[in-house]
Amino acid sequence: QVQLVESGGGLVQVGDSLRLSCVDFGGTLGQYAMAWFRQAPGKEREIVAAITWNGESVYYPDSVKGRFTASRDNSKHTMYLQMSTLKPEDTAVYYCAASARGDYLRPDYWGQGTQVTVSS
């Protein structure tokens, strides 16, 4: 059973960096394609990174490309999102998600989310 728990969110200033973690307490993260999503108030949830099961390939939308880096350590059942040069528009609740079928946009499991607030 996948049990995803995000951590690392907080209040930061424009230009700061932050690293989010997503731990699968079910211990099966290595079996899943993983992704990070975010949802800002009044906006739809959007994907910000999608990473293959072995971490060799990662997709980023243009909005975060060059600033965000996703990685995973399957031995620790953990996925990371390193965020740099943060902007006010990065303010959102960030979620990690797992897909058994590699369908990043329709994952099977979600974490509870962690709030990231970027203050100007």
Side-chain angles (χ1 to χ4, degrees), residues 26-91:
T28 60
L29 185 140
Q31 301 176 21
Y32 296 88
M34 300 293 296
W36 286 99
F37 290 77
R38 68 185 180 188
Q39 187 166 23
K43 295 188 176 182
E44 293 187 356
R45 191 174 296 187
E46 63 171 344
I47 193 167
V48 294
I51 184 167
T52 53
W53 72 271
N54 59 5
E56 291 186 354
S57 181
V58 188
Y59 159 82
Y60 305 99
D62 289 343
S63 58
V64 306
K65 193 175 295 182
R67 301 189 299 119
F68 288 14
T69 303
S71 61
R72 62 192 295 167
D73 185 341
N74 290 339
S75 68
K76 297 181 179 179
H77 315 299
T78 303
M79 177 176 66
Y80 305 97
L81 185 67
Q82 179 68 47
M83 305 184 292
S84 62
T85 320
L86 284 163
K87 305 175 181 180
E89 51 264 42
D90 295 319
T91 295

Side-chain angles (χ1 to χ4, degrees), residues 6-18:
E6 302 95 335
S7 63
L11 173 64
V12 296
Q13 302 294 315
V14 170
D16 282 354
S17 298
L18 201 61

Side-chain angles (χ1 to χ4, degrees), residues 90-109:
D90 295 319
T91 295
V93 178
Y94 283 71
Y95 300 88
C96 65
S99 171
R101 300 155 293 165
D103 188 346
Y104 297 101
L105 296 180
R106 284 173 285 276
D108 302 292
Y109 304 97

